[in-house]
Amino acid sequence: KGNSLIINDLFWDLCGGLPILRLMDRIEPGIVPWKKTHPKPRGRLQMVDNCNLVVTLAKQMNLVVVNIGGVDIMDRNKMLILAIMWQLMRRYTLDSLSTLGTPHDEPITEKDVIQWANEKVLNATPILDNLNDTSSSTPFTATEPTPVPIKNLSDNFLSNSVFLLRICAAIKPKAVNWKLV
């Protein structure tokens, strides 16, 4: 498709800025002034121009880009690229969920997402995994600590992805093989 975007190496493929600009334009249609971009950048300066535009537009989208410059993206600074990508994913997810609405036609907020996730995880039936059963992929093992609710989408309990795996297991218990975690 013309709209498809394939990324094989997150840091290498994003260093020219264009994939991030395409993502931004998908999240907020029309935000990217495409005439100011370099679709086929020739050299470092044009790539940095694209990356500087990413940072400028990130500010317009109310993303936190303190101490992030276009050169950081161009130089493949992993931590800073991940910071931008996390914020874009969060924005995309919340925007997508907000179109669903609630029973009272109110948009879904981050607080609603957190409440739903905590309810799913905390109300999931803990089934102790038979450690000798290699075919088992039940949600929880005997050695696993009790699930802890998260406070926000920046909660430290999200850092190892176990909470997200718990959500998957709560929705579809056999989706996660806890022996591999």
Side-chain angles (χ1 to χ4, degrees):
K1 286 185 192 178
N3 290 335
S4 66
L5 178 63
I6 297 173
I7 302 294
N8 294 309
D9 181 313
L10 185 66
F11 308 107
W12 182 259
D13 293 348
L14 299 184
C15 73
L18 286 172
I20 303 173
L21 291 170
R22 287 182 60 192
L23 178 61
M24 290 173 144
D25 202 55
R26 175 144 186 191
I27 293 170
E28 195 170 311
I31 193 167
V32 178
W34 289 107
K35 290 183 179 183
K36 292 184 178 182
T37 65
H38 301 283
K40 295 182 180 179
R42 295 182 190 157
R44 184 172 171 84
L45 286 178
Q46 289 184 348
M47 293 174 84
V48 171
D49 278 348
N50 286 342
C51 294
N52 283 335
L53 184 57
V54 166
V55 174
T56 300
L57 296 178
K59 290 175 187 173
Q60 287 180 24
M61 295 173 76
N62 295 319
L63 304 182
V64 178
V65 288
V66 176
N67 293 326
I68 299 177
V71 173
D72 296 313
I73 299 168
M74 173 63 208
D75 288 343
R76 298 183 292 281
N77 183 312
K78 292 180 180 182
M79 186 176 74
L80 300 180
I81 290 173
L82 289 174
I84 291 173
M85 295 308 295
W86 165 249
Q87 291 180 81
L88 287 170
M89 289 188 315
R90 180 179 175 274
R91 168 80 183 269
Y92 177 78
T93 302
L94 289 174
D95 286 356
S96 296
L97 291 173
S98 71
T99 63
L100 299 175
T102 61
H104 307 291
D105 286 334
E106 298 168 0
I108 293 176
T109 64
E110 180 177 332
K111 182 179 175 185
D112 297 324
V113 173
I114 299 299
Q115 180 180 349
W116 173 85
N118 283 331
E119 287 173 4
K120 277 289 183 197
V121 168
L122 297 173
N123 293 330
T125 306
I127 302 169
L128 298 180
D129 202 9
N130 179 347
L131 297 177
N132 297 321
D133 180 5
T134 58
S135 66
S136 177
S137 59
T138 53
F140 307 108
T141 65
T143 59
E144 230 181 322
T146 305
V148 177
I150 60 171
K151 295 179 180 85
N152 56 49
L153 293 178
S154 300
D155 198 299
N156 285 336
F157 286 110
L158 295 173
S159 64
N160 65 6
S161 300
V162 171
F163 188 86
L164 300 175
L165 290 170
R166 286 181 188 274
I167 292 173
C168 292
I171 294 169
K172 187 171 182 178
K174 294 190 179 206
V176 178
N177 182 345
W178 288 99
K179 291 179 185 172
L180 301 176
V181 178

